[in-house]
Amino acid sequence: MTQPFPGTPAFTGFNEPARIEAAILDLEVEGKIPPELDGTFYRVGPDFRHPPRLGDDININGDGMVSMFRFAGGHVDFRSRYVRTEKFRLESAARKALFGAYRNPYTDDPSVAGKDRTTANTSTVFHGGKLFALKEDGLPHELDLDTLETKGRFDYRGRMTSATTSSHPKIDPVSGEMITFGYEARGLATRDVALQVIDRSGNLVREEFFLAPYVSMQHDFAVTSRHIVFIVIPITTDEARMKAGGPHWMFEPERETLVGIMPRDASTKDIRWFRSPSIGIGHVANAFSDGDKVYLDASTCAQNIYPFIGNIDGTPFDRATGVPRLTRFTFDLGGNAEGFEAETLFDDFMDMPEIDDRYQLNAHSRGFFAIADGSKAALNNVGTLGVGWNTIAHVDLARRRMERFFIGPDAACQEPQFVPRRANAAEGDGYLLSVITRLDGDSHTELAVFDTQDVSDGPVAVARLPFRMRAAIHGCWVSGPAA
C-alpha cells in the first residue's frame, strides 16, 4: 500500500480497517457454549480494502467483509472473507481505490465507468438453500456456506430485472417465501420501486414495479401475514447534485414522511399512502395485521437519524432530534384518514432490532436490541449512528419491561442475533449472540452468548478472537451442523 488510511474518525479507533481474512479452528472460549447451539452465525459489514479515493469516506462505504461463527458440540470455529464484488476485483487488480463517494458514480475513476459499485456489505440472508450478502444499491452476491467464497452476483437466473434489492428482506415463517423490494430500481435517482417475491425454493415468482412519491432512502420495509408496508422518509437524492460531486443523500425536513400499505395478494396499484410531517424511520423490528389495522414497530427519531447524511439547509446534525427510539405505529385501513398514530414504547437510544423469527409477520411480544446508554461509559464516533452500542437488551413488549446488560467501558457491541433454545421453545426463549469489540489494552473482538432468560446476568460464554475485527452491520443464523 503506497498511502496510509486517513486519520479521521471513519478510519481510526473502533473504525480502523482490519482487512483480515482468516480461518480459525476452535476459538478460545470462556464459560460453556450451550449444547443447543448448533449452526452458523453469518454476518457482514464494511471493511475498507484500500484508502479512500477522495481522501476520506463514510463508515458504511467499505468493502463487504463477511464472517461466520460455526457452533457444534460446544466448540466455535471462525472464518472471514471479503465478498468478491466487481468493485473489489477491479480495485484489487489496480491495488488502489477506483470508486469514489458513497453511491455517487460521478466521483469514480473513468476506468470503472458503468461497472457495478455495490460492496455487498450490509446484511446476510439464507433462503432457498443459498446464502447471500446484500446491499441495497445492487443485487445479491451468493456465498459458499462453508468457505464464504463468492459464487457471484445473483439475479435469479435472469428473472430479476430490477437494478437493486433490499438489505432487509422478510421471510414468511409459514409459506417460506421471501418478500423484498428494490428502490432506485431502474437506475440512479429513479423513483422506480420493485416489489419482489421469491418462493421457498428460491425462485423469483413476482417482480412488480411502481413509482415512489419521491426518491428516498428506503433502507427497510415491513411485511405482515396480509400486508406489505413501504416506508418513504425525507432522505432524498438529486442527480445534478451528484454530478457536481455532492452526496447521494441529503435530509429534507420540509418533505413529508409517507408509509404505503398494500394487501399481499393485490397489485402495487392498490398501495394506500399514509402521511406525516417529516420523521426518521429506521430499522423495522416487525409488523403485524389485526382486523383493519396494521401495527409497525420500528426505531424512529424526530428528524434525521443518520449523522453521515447532511441536512439540505446546511445545519449540523442534531443528536437531540436524531435519537432512535422504539416506536409503534398504528395504521387504520378501515377509516379514511391519511394520518397514523405513533407511540414511543421506550425512551432509550435503541436500534438494531431483532425478534424471534418464528413470529415474523405476526403479532410478537419479545424483542432484542442494542442500546447506547448515555449514563454509562460509551465509545463516541463509532458505527453508523455515531455512538457505540454499550448495552444488550431483551424487551417484553406485552408488559413494557426491559432486561439489559452493560458490556463495559471502552467496548462496543453489535446487533444481537436470536437463536431459539429448541424448535418448540416459547417465543424469545433461547440465546442471544452479539459480537463485541474491546479497545481496553489488547484490542480484540469476541462473541458473547447470552441466555435470554437472564440477559442481565451477562454472557454464559464468550468466544474470543485473537485480533480485532471491524464492526459488521447485520447477520443471520442458519441452523444445522454444516448449514
Side-chain angles (χ1 to χ4, degrees):
M1 183 178 296
T2 57
Q3 69 180 93
F5 284 96
T8 59
F11 292 91
T12 57
F14 180 86
N15 288 321
E16 181 182 356
R19 305 191 302 153
I20 297 173
E21 294 186 314
I24 304 175
L25 183 70
D26 237 0
L27 294 180
E28 179 184 1
V29 173
E30 298 176 11
K32 183 178 180 181
I33 299 292
E36 298 95 334
L37 283 175
D38 186 7
T40 308
F41 178 26
Y42 296 99
R43 50 201 289 283
V44 69
D47 194 349
F48 288 85
R49 167 84 159 179
H50 300 282
R53 169 175 163 78
L54 303 180
D56 198 7
D57 211 332
I58 62 175
N59 177 281
I60 62 173
N61 204 28
D63 297 284
M65 175 69 82
V66 64
S67 56
M68 58 184 277
F69 294 86
R70 177 155 290 167
F71 292 78
H75 298 268
V76 185
D77 300 333
F78 172 83
R79 187 181 293 270
S80 62
R81 191 173 179 88
Y82 275 112
V83 184
R84 265 57 176 182
T85 62
E86 184 173 27
K87 172 186 181 296
F88 181 93
R89 297 195 307 272
L90 290 168
E91 292 186 333
S92 293
R95 301 178 74 92
K96 65 177 181 179
L98 300 172
F99 295 79
Y102 178 68
R103 299 186 70 167
N104 186 347
Y106 298 106
T107 62
D108 294 347
D109 187 286
S111 66
V112 295
K115 302 298 184 181
D116 189 351
R117 305 182 86 254
T118 190
T119 55
N121 71 4
T122 307
S123 185
T124 60
V125 66
F126 177 73
H127 185 255
K130 298 180 184 296
L131 176 69
F132 300 105
L134 306 173
K135 190 174 189 298
E136 61 204 59
D137 65 351
L139 294 182
H141 280 66
E142 186 184 356
L143 307 174
D144 185 277
L145 286 159
D146 296 309
T147 67
L148 298 183
E149 292 180 9
T150 304
K151 295 186 175 182
R153 185 170 51 198
F154 195 80
D155 62 3
Y156 291 90
R157 293 168 288 280
R159 298 197 62 176
M160 184 173 284
T161 62
S162 170
T164 62
T165 192
S166 175
S167 298
H168 288 287
K170 313 302 179 187
I171 298 176
D172 189 320
V174 176
S175 70
E177 68 180 358
M178 183 167 73
I179 303 95
T180 186
F181 76 106
Y183 68 89
E184 292 185 84
R186 296 197 190 276
L188 191 70
T190 59
R191 287 172 55 201
D192 302 87
V193 179
L195 168 63
Q196 301 148 345
V197 180
I198 298 100
D199 69 18
R200 68 184 312 139
S201 299
N203 303 303
L204 181 70
V205 295
R206 180 179 182 185
E207 185 179 49
E208 183 179 353
F209 289 79
F210 66 95
L211 293 179
Y214 57 86
V215 188
S216 160
M217 175 192 275
Q218 297 178 53
H219 179 63
D220 207 345
F221 83 134
V223 180
T224 79
S225 59
R226 292 164 40 210
H227 297 95
I228 299 172
V229 183
F230 297 99
I231 301 169
V232 176
I233 62 175
I235 294 177
T236 65
T237 192
D238 178 79
E239 191 165 15
R241 181 174 71 224
M242 285 188 278
K243 286 181 177 179
H248 187 115
W249 297 120
M250 297 200 80
F251 183 75
E252 294 190 55
E254 73 279 5
R255 284 190 181 266
E256 292 180 307
T257 291
L258 297 104
V259 178
I261 302 179
M262 59 172 281
R264 281 174 60 174
D265 59 359
S267 165
T268 56
K269 295 184 177 67
D270 298 311
I271 294 175
R272 176 178 171 183
W273 292 100
F274 293 82
R275 304 172 181 274
S276 164
S278 74
I279 53 175
I281 302 176
H283 290 117
V284 169
N286 192 32
F288 59 95
S289 301
D290 186 8
D292 288 332
K293 293 185 177 180
V294 171
Y295 298 90
L296 168 69
D297 289 359
S299 296
T300 307
C301 68
Q303 290 292 305
N304 184 9
I305 198 169
Y306 299 112
F308 59 86
I309 291 177
N311 295 325
I312 202 162
D313 61 4
T315 58
F317 176 76
D318 182 1
R319 172 50 71 202
T321 62
V323 173
R325 295 182 171 93
L326 182 60
T327 303
R328 174 162 291 180
F329 298 97
T330 303
F331 305 90
D332 187 356
L333 300 178
N336 297 318
E338 289 189 330
F340 51 90
E341 298 177 5
E343 176 191 5
T344 300
L345 302 183
F346 295 93
D347 286 329
D348 298 85
F349 188 131
M350 60 196 298
D351 195 19
M352 312 307 279
E354 167 82 356
I355 72 161
D356 185 332
D357 285 340
R358 297 170 300 169
Y359 290 78
Q360 282 282 356
L361 287 58
N362 297 283
H364 62 287
S365 63
R366 301 284 172 164
F368 309 97
F369 297 83
I371 288 180
D373 187 342
S375 69
K376 307 285 188 181
L379 292 174
N380 292 318
N381 300 316
V382 300
T384 56
L385 296 186
V387 298
W389 309 114
N390 61 12
T391 300
I392 292 292
H394 176 190
V395 169
D396 181 340
L397 292 166
R399 293 184 286 182
R400 299 291 195 269
R401 293 181 181 177
M402 181 189 299
E403 186 182 7
R404 62 175 77 200
F405 178 78
F406 171 60
I407 64 168
D410 296 317
C413 57
Q414 297 170 43
E415 176 186 64
Q417 174 65 51
F418 173 74
V419 182
R421 195 178 307 273
R422 59 187 65 87
N424 61 350
E427 180 187 359
D429 178 25
Y431 302 99
L432 282 185
L433 312 178
S434 180
V435 173
I436 298 173
T437 300
R438 297 200 180 276
L439 298 180
D440 50 346
D442 62 331
S443 172
H444 70 277
T445 294
E446 59 192 35
L447 175 63
V449 180
F450 297 83
D451 190 313
T452 61
Q453 296 296 327
D454 297 292
V455 166
S456 61
D457 286 348
V460 297
V462 174
R464 176 172 171 151
L465 288 168
F467 53 82
R468 180 194 59 82
M469 297 176 63
R470 204 167 191 266
I473 302 179
H474 302 295
C476 66
W477 171 263
V478 180
S479 295

